[in-house]
Amino acid sequence: MGSASPSYKGHRYPVEIISYCVWLYHRFPLSFRDVEELLLERGVFVSHETVRRWCAKFGQAYANALRCRRPRPGDKWHLDEVFVRINGERKYLWRAVDQDGNVLDILMQNRRDKAAARRFFRRLLKRTGAVPRVVITDKLRSYGAAHREVMPSVEHRSHKGLNNRAENSHQPTRQRERVMKGFRSVGGAQRFLAAFSGISPHFRPRRHLMTATAYRAEMTLRFAIWEQVTGADSRPTTA
């Protein structure tokens, strides 16, 4: 069962507009001003600052609800880290995905040493509530040291060529980073990417493996789930 829909008490705009703005911002490489303009073309007057507040308030709640509706993660986890420059300083974005490409968790950290890898391993186990059969990483030694300490019974494969799935999962983040002209702070990057990693993949099925009919049916189902988690499907109807 998923979590209850968030409360919209005190908001004068209907849930359909709020959820639509959050969907636009997290699904497509748009700025808050771009979303404002798209709604203006439809006759809806919303400021970019209001869009920003909606995304900050509801984005993570929507992402959490979507995660509650996902099946259990696969038993093969791919882990990878990439550097992100914030205010001229190099930080590291740690990411874990399963063999199906589902994002399990992300974490912004200052380093990529053993302590950082151990922290990410423990957070990952706690958030997923599962233990993998295999963990696949690149050749960064921090992974091996943390693996032996946190999950020694799990098989660890360290090979750069085996970890393309995790590396490819960074591409949407890089795209958004360019659109946003970089992140302003570590906390801001963590908050945005946590919501983005939960919402954006929901609308990105593996289309290249699907027929057009199957893709449309899958997207119809995913939009229905989106309406459930946002509460848009619970709006009372009139005759």
Side-chain angles (χ1 to χ4, degrees), residues 72-90:
R72 289 182 61 83
D75 62 357
K76 183 185 294 185
W77 295 358
H78 298 255
L79 279 68
D80 190 45
E81 81 293 334
V82 293
F83 79 87
V84 177
R85 197 166 294 279
I86 300 178
N87 292 330
E89 297 183 4
R90 175 172 288 197

Side-chain angles (χ1 to χ4, degrees), residues 20-166:
Y20 183 64
C21 288
V22 176
W23 172 71
L24 280 175
Y25 182 69
H26 288 90
R27 173 60 184 87
F28 303 101
L30 301 172
S31 68
F32 295 125
R33 294 181 185 273
D34 291 334
V35 176
E36 176 186 8
E37 185 175 338
L38 287 171
L39 265 70
L40 181 61
E41 188 275 334
R42 291 174 173 246
V44 180
F45 299 92
V46 177
S47 72
H48 65 276
E49 177 62 19
T50 298
V51 175
R52 184 193 68 79
R53 291 179 179 178
W54 286 345
C55 290
K57 181 175 181 179
F58 297 107
Q60 189 60 60
Y62 294 165
N64 292 340
L66 288 174
R67 288 193 179 98
C68 289
R69 286 164 170 77
R70 290 180 188 169
R72 289 182 61 83
D75 62 357
K76 183 185 294 185
W77 295 358
H78 298 255
L79 279 68
D80 190 45
E81 81 293 334
V82 293
F83 79 87
V84 177
R85 197 166 294 279
I86 300 178
N87 292 330
E89 297 183 4
R90 175 172 288 197
K91 309 295 181 181
Y92 294 93
L93 172 63
W94 297 70
R95 183 189 304 272
V97 301
D98 65 11
Q99 67 264 36
D100 298 318
N102 298 314
V103 179
L104 304 177
D105 197 12
I106 63 101
L107 180 63
M108 291 290 303
Q109 301 198 81
N110 293 328
R111 301 179 181 276
R112 57 172 184 166
D113 54 12
K114 176 184 174 182
R118 181 174 60 229
R119 185 179 303 112
F120 186 53
F121 274 135
R122 288 175 175 169
R123 172 187 166 97
L124 190 57
L125 292 173
K126 181 178 180 180
R127 287 177 63 86
T128 60
V131 177
R133 176 179 58 85
V134 180
V135 170
I136 300 175
T137 70
D138 57 24
K139 291 185 175 295
L140 181 68
R141 293 183 178 181
S142 302
Y143 284 119
H147 165 264
R148 288 189 295 271
E149 183 173 325
V150 178
M151 51 177 78
S153 62
V154 175
E155 180 183 353
H156 179 211
R157 300 175 188 172
S158 176
H159 190 281
K160 184 175 179 59
L162 296 175
N163 213 30
N164 289 336
R165 185 168 297 282

